[in-house]
Amino acid sequence: MTGGLADNGVAADWIACLTYKSSATASPAAGDLDLLVAKARARNRSLGVTGMLLFEDGHFLQTLEGSPAALETLWSSIRQDSRHNHIEVLSEHIVTARLFSDWDLLLDGRINDGPLNLRAAVALPPAVAEHVAHLVELSLNADDLGLNRLMAAFADDGWTADAIVSLLIEPAGRALGDAWLDDECSEIDLTIGLSMLQLAGHAVRYSPSPQTIRNSRYRVLLATAPGEPHMLGTTLLADQFLASGWQVDMAFPASEEALTNQINAQHPDALDIGLSDAVPRPHALTQLRSAVEHSRLVAAEHPTVISVGGRLFAEATATARTVGADYARSDVAGTSIKLAELVQRNRQR
Ligand SMILES: Cc1cc2nc3c(=O)[nH]c(=O)nc-3n(C[C@H](O)[C@H](O)[C@H](O)COP(=O)(O)O)c2cc1C
């Protein structure tokens, strides 16, 4: 494992939990993934490893859990597998109980209009898209009780916090934006729906992680882009960074000056500036570029790692380079780990 979970003295019955994403090196043919999963299931069972594997649009997302030693063995095979590359570890935890206790490897595939129908091959889970649609409906109806119940049900079913946020809540935010762009709901409906999703995000529980101790000295300022009214991503990040032990400050600045004043006052190690997660606003990129540039100038004496996010980055319309940032998050999952790495690198310079 990247962090060596096996040898840091945890109790023998604790469970290591690893989530990563990667890109398929070639488009798998109909039988390829079935074969991969059949073999993986057999090996996972023999190693006592459980988890889930998602495949969508050429990307894998996998969560694996098992004894630190078993995971170490498996991970050294998986990370060398030439069927995927650009492997990015999103989270690595030690937990006391399994989330995927009954699933030796749950596969869910979503390939738009493709020849594969992987979901037909497995009984579980019901389509992720249906969950997203359900989430959108509850949000538009401002049904907070229903949302809380749904979040609790996902956790009971073994969904990790990262999976709930990046596979359900963030896509639901984009779906709400689409509904507004298509005139299917009013702007006020969109605002209410997004705040309902924020509440749903607060109900997501992150497991305690070894990161907590490691990052306790880091301070992050989580800001919406100047004048940006949508704050879903920023609030989702707040829960994640707090759970990882960061000191968290938040800013919803009306102007670039308000943002730079706050940076000046707080000297954060990392700054995240979020555009709307619901609607793509390409014209906002010019202002974001200016906000990033000026944030760097005020932070000159205390170099700050700057990350950006929002729907334009989730859909790869823009990159970190477009706006001069150090990192662009394509989703919220794993951001605190990525920024911790960048802050560490910054300090070693
Ligand atoms: C995205 C992806 C996920 C995989 N997941 C698993 C898994 O959960 N369990 C497993 O045994 N093999 C999995 N494999 C296959 C392993 O990489 C490897 O081929 C297999 O474990 C045999 O290992 P070996 O070649 O070291 O003998 C996965 C491969 C890919 C590309």
Side-chain angles (χ1 to χ4, degrees):
M1 309 259 312
T2 51
L5 289 178
D7 53 18
N8 60 1
V10 293
D13 56 346
W14 281 43
I15 299 294
C17 179
L18 170 80
T19 301
Y20 71 88
K21 62 182 177 187
S22 63
S23 309
T25 38
S27 185
D32 291 353
L33 281 172
D34 288 342
L35 193 64
L36 187 158
V37 170
K39 286 188 176 174
R41 276 209 172 112
R43 189 170 180 208
N44 290 7
R45 204 168 294 158
S46 73
L47 287 167
V49 168
T50 48
M52 68 158 194
L53 175 65
L54 288 160
F55 180 79
E56 186 191 19
D57 291 338
H59 298 283
F60 293 106
L61 177 79
Q62 187 170 32
T63 295
L64 291 165
E65 51 185 26
S67 73
L71 230 59
E72 186 101 41
T73 306
L74 197 55
W75 185 231
S76 63
S77 291
I78 295 176
R79 71 167 172 232
Q80 287 173 38
D81 198 309
S82 59
R83 286 170 286 188
H84 64 166
N85 57 16
H86 303 301
I87 298 174
E88 189 181 336
V89 173
L90 299 175
S91 71
E92 231 183 310
H93 305 297
I94 295 287
V95 291
T96 48
R98 282 173 198 267
L99 293 169
F100 297 91
S101 49
D102 297 330
W103 299 335
D104 41 18
L105 188 66
L106 175 74
L107 174 72
D108 183 30
R110 290 173 285 158
I111 303 175
N112 299 339
D113 306 314
L116 295 176
N117 185 358
L118 295 168
R119 197 167 296 111
V122 288
L124 286 164
V128 172
E130 278 172 31
H131 292 323
V132 172
H134 190 192
L135 210 51
V136 167
E137 189 191 320
L138 291 172
S139 309
L140 284 175
N141 291 335
D143 183 350
D144 54 345
L145 283 178
L147 281 169
N148 267 325
R149 265 198 298 269
L150 192 65
M151 290 301 111
F154 285 131
D156 287 346
D157 282 354
W159 287 70
T160 62
D162 280 343
I164 295 175
V165 167
S166 58
L167 298 173
L168 303 175
I169 298 181
E170 295 190 86
R174 293 194 281 274
L176 279 174
D178 287 341
W180 177 65
L181 289 168
D182 294 345
D183 267 344
E184 286 162 15
C185 74
S186 66
E187 186 159 2
I188 189 76
D189 288 337
L190 171 64
T191 307
I192 292 171
L194 288 174
S195 30
M196 285 293 130
L197 287 179
Q198 276 167 232
L199 287 178
H202 285 315
V204 172
R205 290 279 159 263
Y206 286 88
S207 354
S209 96
Q211 289 285 128
T212 307
I213 303 154
R214 223 187 302 157
N215 294 334
S216 55
R217 61 193 186 280
Y218 295 159
R219 180 170 197 154
V220 66
L221 177 60
L222 302 173
T224 45
E228 171 58 62
H230 295 162
M231 53 186 75
L232 177 64
T234 304
T235 56
L236 292 173
L237 283 177
D239 291 319
Q240 183 193 102
F241 276 82
L242 283 169
S244 308
W246 288 62
Q247 273 176 268
V248 176
D249 296 299
M250 298 183 81
F252 306 100
S255 65
E256 195 177 290
E257 194 188 354
L259 174 64
T260 50
N261 283 345
Q262 194 151 348
I263 297 168
N264 227 346
Q266 286 167 337
H267 303 300
D269 298 297
L271 163 70
D272 183 273
I273 311 180
L275 290 177
S276 173
D277 291 280
V279 289
R281 301 193 233 267
H283 62 270
L285 289 171
T286 317
Q287 280 162 324
L288 182 59
R289 191 176 177 81
S290 159
V292 169
E293 200 177 313
H294 290 110
S295 300
R296 273 201 206 288
L297 286 179
V298 283
E301 282 171 21
H302 182 92
T304 300
V305 168
I306 302 183
S307 80
V308 289
R311 181 162 176 172
L312 287 169
F313 300 96
E315 294 178 339
T317 310
T319 64
R321 191 185 283 187
T322 316
V323 294
D326 302 304
Y327 178 66
R329 49 185 165 82
S330 54
D331 55 38
V332 160
T335 305
S336 66
I337 295 178
K338 187 69 201 176
L339 294 197
E341 276 169 23
L342 293 175
V343 169
Q344 237 155 19
R345 214 178 295 163
N346 230 358
R347 289 188 172 189
Q348 280 157 7
R349 276 200 193 131

